[in-house]
Amino acid sequence: MQNSVDISVVIPLLNEAESLPELTQWINRVMVLHGFLYEVILIDDGSTDDSWKVIQELSQHDPNLKGIRFNRNYGKSAALNVGFAETQGRVVITMDADLQDSPDEIPDLYKMIVENGFDLVSGWKKKRFDPLSKTLPTKLFNAATRKISKIKLHDFNCGLKAYDARVVKSIEVYGEMHRYIPVIAKWNGFGKIGEKVVQHRERKYGTTKFGLERFVYGFLDLMSITFVSRFKKRPMHFFGSLGTLSFLIGFLITSWLVIEKVYYSFQNMPVRDVTDQPLFFLALVAVIVGVQLFLAGFLAEMISLAGRRKDEYLIRDNIGF
């Protein structure tokens, strides 16, 4: 893929008016020093402060700056998804707007994509300045994601990442799945995923925009992406297998009870009616559940063939597009 732009920097933001001038100037210094042709795409995710006004002012003095303003807050995944669609660079860098990610890492990340052939490189904030209430749950989620995805990364949720342009043009990010982009990339065939230790800086302005609920949503999204990635094109394999197994168990138990009833009757031996035995009702439930699962698989198969509507985000304004 030949691009006139070397690097696209995608930055989602929410109420980061104070940090934007310093961040964009820092990025510009790094790019000019290394001779990169670049663009910076700032996605204002429904800020209520002066973030968009600051972006407008900065873009007047820097032609490399572009901006997208959402009509309301849709979340980081939505901002990244829209930003990815607009990138033109050979390499795409994502970073947070709070100055906790260092733009000085960009040249090395670029080299790992272009020279070392990685599809994706994730930053690893080995030394963090976050409180224990944030770092401990993060470690647990990283461990769970490593176990499920088989991707050996220490920090899936690090905002500082580098991508080959083909990756961001081939994936869709929604919900809270921005933290699982390496997993999405791997299951889309981009298996060369690397890691780089990066600097984590203390927050200089404002406060964190993420609460503890992100861990609950993150876990649910991990389960969702695991299922969708494996069975998106063949849901009948999942539901149909479970349904068939449940139906067979119920059918075999019912058959056994009926055969037992007939046998004891011919032998003139005392035997309870089939409907008087609790096992019969368990078998009946298994049969009903099996039929329902099979139908769910059939309907999911029809829905997947029809395709699903992509998420649409209302963009209020943009700069440079």
Side-chain angles (χ1 to χ4, degrees), residues 44-264:
D44 183 353
D45 187 24
S47 295
T48 56
D49 65 354
D50 290 330
S51 292
W52 185 248
K53 182 179 178 181
V54 171
I55 292 172
Q56 289 177 311
E57 293 173 352
L58 292 172
S59 66
Q60 293 176 2
H61 302 92
D62 187 349
N64 298 302
L65 279 183
K66 300 178 180 181
I68 296 174
R69 185 187 186 188
F70 283 166
N71 201 49
R72 66 171 178 83
N73 177 250
Y74 288 103
K76 187 174 182 179
S77 292
L80 288 174
N81 198 57
V82 170
F84 286 163
E86 299 295 341
T87 57
Q88 300 179 44
R90 166 68 179 83
V91 173
V92 177
I93 304 288
T94 60
M95 62 193 312
D96 295 333
D98 54 13
L99 293 173
Q100 290 190 283
D101 296 331
S102 171
D104 289 333
E105 307 283 358
I106 291 176
D108 288 338
L109 291 170
Y110 176 84
K111 289 179 181 178
M112 292 181 73
I113 298 293
V114 174
E115 297 180 9
N116 299 333
F118 284 100
D119 295 317
L120 185 156
V121 179
S122 180
W124 174 19
K125 296 174 180 177
K126 195 171 183 179
K127 182 179 180 182
R128 303 185 68 99
F129 295 96
D130 294 323
L132 187 63
S133 60
K134 184 176 179 181
T135 56
L136 183 58
T138 297
K139 288 182 178 180
L140 292 175
F141 273 98
N142 284 327
T145 308
R146 278 195 302 272
K147 182 71 173 178
I148 293 174
S149 67
K150 310 299 181 185
I151 300 175
K152 296 181 180 180
L153 294 180
H154 291 86
D155 191 358
F156 285 84
N157 197 35
C158 179
L160 185 57
K161 289 183 174 68
Y163 308 83
D164 186 290
R166 294 171 297 177
V167 176
V168 302
K169 297 300 183 182
S170 304
I171 63 175
E172 184 178 358
V173 190
Y174 56 93
E176 294 292 319
M177 292 188 181
H178 58 272
R179 69 188 77 245
Y180 300 120
I181 290 181
V183 182
I184 300 173
K186 179 186 176 183
W187 284 333
N188 276 274
F190 300 101
K192 192 167 184 182
I193 298 174
E195 184 174 59
K196 181 183 182 299
V197 176
V198 297
Q199 179 185 4
H200 183 223
R201 307 172 76 244
E202 293 188 66
R203 175 178 276 275
K204 189 172 182 180
Y205 304 105
T207 58
T208 182
K209 310 302 186 298
F210 299 98
L212 292 176
E213 70 277 359
R214 76 186 190 278
F215 296 113
V216 176
Y217 299 150
F219 176 77
L220 294 176
D221 278 331
L222 177 59
M223 297 298 100
S224 175
I225 195 175
T226 300
F227 175 81
V228 170
S229 297
R230 293 183 179 179
F231 299 104
K232 179 180 180 180
K233 299 298 183 182
R234 43 190 175 89
M236 190 58 158
H237 288 195
F238 178 78
F239 291 106
S241 297
L242 290 179
T244 301
L245 179 62
S246 179
F247 181 87
L248 285 176
I249 290 174
F251 178 78
L252 291 174
I253 292 175
T254 304
S255 299
W256 168 258
L257 292 175
V258 171
I259 292 172
E260 182 185 49
K261 167 73 172 179
V262 172
Y263 175 78
Y264 284 148

